[in-house]
Amino acid sequence: MANINDFKAVLKGGGARGNQFQVTMPFPGFAATGGETRVMSFLCRTSNLPGMTLGEVPVPFRGRVLYVAGDRTFETWTTTIMNDTDFLIRNAFERWMNEINALSDNSGLENPSDYQVDAFVDQLDRSGAVIKSYTFRGLFPQTIAPIELTYDGNDAVEEFEVTYRYQYFESNTTT
């Protein structure tokens, strides 16, 4: 029968901690004014490690169905960012989205390589070393969530979510 010492022996490093992570977002040159990538790594309050799904293809055969693996799909990726008083990160995302599709006249960049970037999320151990990393290839912002303004929001820093679409991801174990 397993005991607590057996459990401790298999829980390497005391377990990965959800609050030990870093997001690196290299904003496109047209969206950046300076310092956004560094500031984002500090103000990104929440993120997640990406999920994925393998589809299925049902193949009927004589009253039975054989399921074979289908195509892989990737879920969107979301970050929550704390807003500072100069709106550095929010403004960068707004400029980024406006270049993709302008607010004024529905025009924008046509070549995906002009507005897509590779972004990174790293899971860290308690000493700050990277223990798992993901690279999101061909990423761009899909949604910038509203910032709620309210009189009863005392003792809180504004924050907003950004949801991204990307082509695929790589991890340090799948490349």
Side-chain angles (χ1 to χ4, degrees), residues 4 8 25-26 34 66 130 138 142 158 164 171:
I4 193 69
K8 287 188 323 187
M25 179 67 61
L66 168 68
V130 175
Q142 184 179 34
E158 287 179 355
Y164 313 87
S171 77

Side-chain angles (χ1 to χ4, degrees), residues 62 82 117 173:
R62 297 183 182 173
M82 294 182 287
V117 301
T173 59

Side-chain angles (χ1 to χ4, degrees), residues 15-22 45-49 122-124:
R17 307 294 172 98
N19 64 346
Q20 301 294 313
F21 70 95
Q22 180 174 347
R45 190 178 71 78
T46 65
S47 183
N48 55 53
L49 302 179
D122 297 316
Q123 176 79 58
L124 309 173

Side-chain angles (χ1 to χ4, degrees), residues 137-156:
R137 301 290 185 186
L139 175 138
F140 61 95
Q142 184 179 34
T143 304
I144 301 172
I147 296 175
E148 299 299 325
L149 304 176
T150 176
Y151 283 144
D152 61 356
N154 295 353
D155 303 322

Side-chain angles (χ1 to χ4, degrees), residues 107-130:
S107 64
L109 296 170
E110 296 175 7
N111 187 350
S113 64
D114 291 339
Y115 62 82
Q116 294 178 359
V117 301
D118 293 343
F120 312 89
V121 63
D122 297 316
Q123 176 79 58
L124 309 173
D125 67 12
R126 295 181 74 191
S127 65
V130 175

Side-chain angles (χ1 to χ4, degrees), residues 39-136:
V39 171
M40 173 80 171
S41 71
F42 286 102
L43 296 185
C44 182
R45 190 178 71 78
T46 65
S47 183
N48 55 53
L49 302 179
M52 64 186 128
T53 302
L54 273 178
E56 62 184 22
V57 178
V59 181
F61 179 75
R62 297 183 182 173
R64 301 275 187 214
V65 177
L66 168 68
Y67 292 95
V68 296
D71 294 332
R72 185 187 313 250
T73 59
F74 301 98
E75 299 173 15
T76 57
W77 183 50
T78 303
T79 58
T80 302
I81 300 130
M82 294 182 287
N83 197 26
D84 55 4
T85 58
D86 66 1
F87 283 69
L88 182 71
I89 303 302
R90 176 102 179 173
N91 288 340
F93 279 115
E94 288 177 359
R95 284 189 298 272
W96 192 352
M97 288 185 82
N98 198 50
E99 285 295 317
I100 294 171
N101 185 273
L103 292 167
S104 60
D105 63 5
N106 205 28
S107 64
L109 296 170
E110 296 175 7
N111 187 350
S113 64
D114 291 339
Y115 62 82
Q116 294 178 359
V117 301
D118 293 343
F120 312 89
V121 63
D122 297 316
Q123 176 79 58
L124 309 173
D125 67 12
R126 295 181 74 191
S127 65
V130 175
I131 56 176
K132 182 74 174 170
S133 62
Y134 290 87
T135 302
F136 297 92

